[in-house]
Amino acid sequence: METHISCLFPEILAMIFSYLDVRDKGRVAQVCIAWRDASYHKSVWRGVEAKLHLRRANPSLFPSLQARGIRRVQILSLRRSLSYVIQGMPNIESLNLSGCYNLTDNGLGHAFVQEIPSLRVLNLSLCKQITDSSLGRIAQYLKNLEVLELGGCSNITNTGLLLIAWGLHRLKSLNLRSCRHVSDVGIGHLAGMTRSAAEGCLNLEYLTLQDCQKLTDLSLKHISKGLTKLRVLNLSFCGGISDAGMIHLSHMTSLWSLNLRSCDNISDTGTMHLAMGTLRLSGLDVSFCDKIGDQTLAYIAQGLYQLKSLSLCSCHISDDGINRMVRQMHELRTLNIGQCVRITDKGLELIADHLTQLVGIDLYGCTKITKRGLERITQLPCLKVLNLGLWQMTESEKVRSNFPERATRGGKGKAGCQIQSE
C-alpha cells in the first residue's frame, strides 16, 4: 500500500519543516491547509529571527509572528513608529534596530513607556541619533536586559553609562565600540566604583571598548576591581592604554579572551605583565602593535602557553621568536602571523614540527616564505584553513614543484586544507 506525505501526522510534518530555511518555511505554509497548520507549530520557528521592513500597516503581521512563537525581530527599515512593534509583540525577547539611522530619542521614548520584562537583547548599533536620554528609558524599563549593543552610537557619554550602571544589573554583554565620549569615569560607573550613585554592571562577561580613544590605564584598574566575571575584553584601537595597564588585567582569572589589536603603546613589557599574572587566556590578539617582538613570544611560552588562538599580524617577530615559543604551545589551534615579513621557511618548519594541533594559520603577506616551507605547513594533520594572500611562487619554483599552482589562487592543499588567497 502506497503512503503519501499527506498521511503523515502534523507533528512529523512539523519536525520535517523545522529543518527548512526561513523562506521555505513560509512557502510550505501556502501549499495546503494541513501543511499550513503544521508549519505554524512553534517548534518549526524555534530560534528564528523575523527580519522586517516596517513601511505600511499590516494588521496580521504581529498576530502571525506570535502564533508561530517568534520572539526575535530585526527591523531592516523603520518608517513607522517603534511603538508599533512593541505593542504588537509584548513578549518580545530580542530587538535588533542596527542601522536604523532615523531612530531618535523621541521615537524610542514613545516605544518604551512601561516595563518589558521579556526583552533580553537590544541592538542599537549605528543608531547615531540615540543619546543618553534613550539610555535612561532603557535603564528604567528594560531591567532584564542581558545584551546591549551600542557600537557607533557616538553621542553616548559617561552619563549614559551611569544610567546603565544604575538600572541594568543583569547585563552580561555590552558593546561600546567607537563611543568617542566615553572615558575612565564612565567605565568606573560600570565597574561599580561609584556605588553611591549606581551599583554597576557587575555581571558583565563580554565588554567591547574598541576605539574608545579617551580610555587610559585607569579604566583597566576599574575593570579589574569591579568586573571580576569578565570573560571577553576588546580594547583594540584604544591608543591611551599602556603596558602598565596590563598589570591590572594580569590577575583577572575569569578572562579568557583579550584583544589589544593596534594598541600602539603595548610592547613586550605589557606581554610580560600578562604572562607573570594568573591569567588563563584562551585567545590573545596583539596584531599591529608595533612594539611587539620576539621577546613577547618568549613570555607567552613561559606564562600563556595554554592559548588556543594567537594573533601577531604585522608584529616584529622572526624565526628566532617562533623557535622560543613553539615547544610550549601544545594547545594552540589558530596562529595568525600575516605580514610578519621576517618569517622564513625556517619558522614554518618549526611550526610544522611542534604545533601539530593547528587548525588554521594566516601567512598573508609573509613574503620570505617559499614552496619548501609551505609544503611543510600543508602536512599538518589538523590544518583546515591556510591564508596565503600576497604570497607568490616564482615561475621557476612552479615548474620544479609538485605543489598545485592553483594553491596560489585558492584551492585544496595536500593535507586537504582550504587554501585562501587574494
Side-chain angles (χ1 to χ4, degrees), residues 378 384 403-404 406-407 410-419:
T378 58
K384 294 181 180 179
F403 194 81
R406 64 190 173 93
K412 297 287 185 178
K414 291 183 177 179
C417 69
Q418 182 67 38
I419 300 175

Side-chain angles (χ1 to χ4, degrees), residues 9 20 25 39 43 71 95 104 253 314 318 383 386 396 419:
F9 289 111
L20 300 176
K25 291 178 197 287
S39 69
S43 64
R71 303 176 70 181
L95 178 59
T104 64
T253 54
S314 197
S318 67
L383 195 66
L386 169 60
S396 59
I419 300 175

Side-chain angles (χ1 to χ4, degrees), residues 33 39-40 65 80 94 104 111 113-114 241 246 256 258 284-285 298 369:
I33 293 175
S39 69
Y40 268 56
L65 295 178
R80 294 183 61 82
S94 172
T104 64
V113 294
Q114 61 184 18
I241 66 172
M246 299 303 102
W256 60 265
L258 179 61
L284 176 64
D285 189 344
I369 64 174

Side-chain angles (χ1 to χ4, degrees), residues 2-22:
E2 188 174 333
T3 302
H4 191 266
I5 191 170
S6 62
C7 300
L8 293 176
F9 289 111
E11 294 81 4
I12 303 299
L13 282 174
M15 187 180 299
I16 295 171
F17 295 161
S18 68
Y19 289 97
L20 300 176
D21 61 33
V22 174

Side-chain angles (χ1 to χ4, degrees), residues 281-309:
L281 284 181
S282 176
L284 176 64
D285 189 344
V286 290
S287 298
F288 303 99
C289 293
D290 293 338
K291 298 175 183 177
I292 293 288
D294 286 338
Q295 190 59 48
T296 278
L297 300 188
Y299 291 138
I300 287 173
Q302 293 171 14
L304 298 172
Y305 47 82
Q306 74 281 4
L307 285 172
K308 289 183 170 61
S309 175

